[in-house]
Amino acid sequence: MIPGGEPALRATVFFAALGAMALWEALAPRLPRSFPRRTRWPSNLAVVALDTLALRFLFPLAAVGVAEWAAMRGVGLFNAVGAPFWSAAVLSFLALDFVVWGQHVAFHRIPWLWRLHRMHHADLDYDVTTALRFHPLEIALSMLIKMAAVAALGAPVESVIAFEIALNGLALFNHANAGLPPRVEPFVRWLLVTPDMHRVHHSVEPAETNSNFGFNLSVWDRLFRVYRAAPAAGQAGMEIGLPDFREEGELRLDRMLTQPWREPAARL
Ligand SMILES: [Zn+2]
């Protein structure tokens, strides 16, 4: 059964993490901003509102609904073998994190998927709202992949909720324009993707963009040898964004939504 307080819990974690990260990066910014918040935030916040509405409309069941359905029907690996709750929950969490990591790699490697995903990378500053900046089509595709993974695994409802809340909270954390204290950072990074680790992935250098694909656990990038400790130019010297979309107009909502269908050379 899906717990009744679930939507409120998700909303609370989302707004608390958004507020905390916004405060953190205001108090101790890691990089100077290229644009004031008012240039980027309205579009990034509008996109997440649009994404949320699109998901509600297209997939009212969502991944949790699929988990509940799979449990009732005995569908999926862990339901079929009758795995004990805790092992099914922990393994599902890990497997879902790996699926999201693999999907992220695919969105970089497959050209038509990259067209959808590159909107996320075209943000010209890196802050907590970059975490919200995904094209609605990528969000819809991600949900389809996640629902398929949940059904195949027979992931417990609680595991799916925990995973989605962790992914949401950690994505806000690791897109923050802030840094953990240098003495603490390596220990956290050993397990989780930190802001300094994920920022490398938003570098304008293609080799750096194609590294550090993780959002939650840092293990997958190390395991598959696409881990990069730091940008070549250093955190302070690195440039954020994509080489092809550097005009301020690209930060406008309409340009963001139409970006997948434009050639990079078609400048404003
Ligand atoms: Zn990416």
Side-chain angles (χ1 to χ4, degrees):
M1 261 269 292
I2 300 173
E6 182 232 334
L9 179 65
R10 280 178 197 263
T12 306
V13 172
F14 173 76
F15 286 110
L18 185 64
M21 295 307 128
L23 188 65
W24 187 23
E25 59 188 24
L27 295 174
R30 190 81 164 98
L31 296 177
R33 290 177 180 279
S34 305
F35 299 94
R37 289 178 182 80
R38 66 171 181 276
T39 308
R40 296 173 44 255
W41 280 35
S43 307
N44 288 358
L45 294 171
V47 143
V48 77
L50 212 66
D51 289 345
T52 310
L53 285 176
L55 279 185
R56 286 274 158 80
F57 179 71
L58 290 171
F59 307 109
L61 262 189
V64 202
V66 171
E68 196 180 32
W69 167 84
M72 283 189 316
R73 297 288 174 92
V75 169
L77 177 68
F78 295 125
N79 292 324
V81 301
F85 172 75
W86 279 107
S87 49
V90 171
L91 290 173
S92 295
F93 190 100
L94 293 175
L96 286 173
D97 198 44
F98 178 62
V99 167
V100 167
W101 178 88
Q103 175 200 325
H104 189 186
V105 174
F107 270 81
H108 276 251
R109 300 267 157 91
I110 301 169
W112 71 273
L113 291 176
W114 169 246
R115 279 183 175 256
L116 300 179
H117 181 62
R118 72 184 179 192
M119 191 198 99
H120 175 63
H121 284 266
D123 203 349
L124 292 169
D125 271 327
Y126 183 85
D127 71 14
V128 64
T129 66
T130 308
L132 312 174
R133 192 188 208 266
F134 286 95
H135 198 280
L137 287 176
E138 174 171 0
I139 288 292
L141 258 178
S142 303
M143 179 53 90
L144 269 179
I145 294 168
K146 193 162 55 183
M147 292 194 309
V150 165
L153 288 164
V157 166
E158 293 82 353
S159 186
V160 176
I161 296 173
F163 175 73
E164 290 190 323
I165 289 177
L167 182 65
N168 197 242
L170 279 168
L172 291 166
F173 163 69
N174 56 40
H175 284 89
N177 179 29
L180 292 169
R183 289 221 302 229
V184 179
E185 211 271 348
F187 295 102
V188 179
R189 190 193 286 219
W190 184 77
L191 180 69
L192 299 174
V193 177
T194 62
D196 279 7
M197 177 177 164
H198 190 68
R199 196 177 297 104
V200 180
H201 180 73
H202 283 259
S203 160
V204 79
E205 295 296 330
E208 292 174 353
T209 313
N210 289 304
S211 63
N212 298 5
F213 294 92
F215 286 116
N216 282 345
L217 302 174
S218 61
V219 62
W220 313 119
D221 288 304
R222 294 179 215 269
L223 207 61
F224 291 89
R225 299 181 184 281
V226 284
Y227 171 72
R228 212 172 270 262
Q235 293 284 350
M238 72 178 292
E239 217 178 322
I240 299 291
L242 293 174
D244 290 324
F245 296 96
R246 304 216 60 80
E247 292 83 1
E248 187 178 337
E250 294 293 342
L251 302 170
R252 245 170 40 205
L253 181 64
D254 59 322
R255 303 293 294 178
M256 284 159 61
L257 293 174
T258 56
Q259 207 219 58
W261 295 277
R262 276 182 290 126
E263 296 307 319
R267 298 287 164 88
L268 291 183

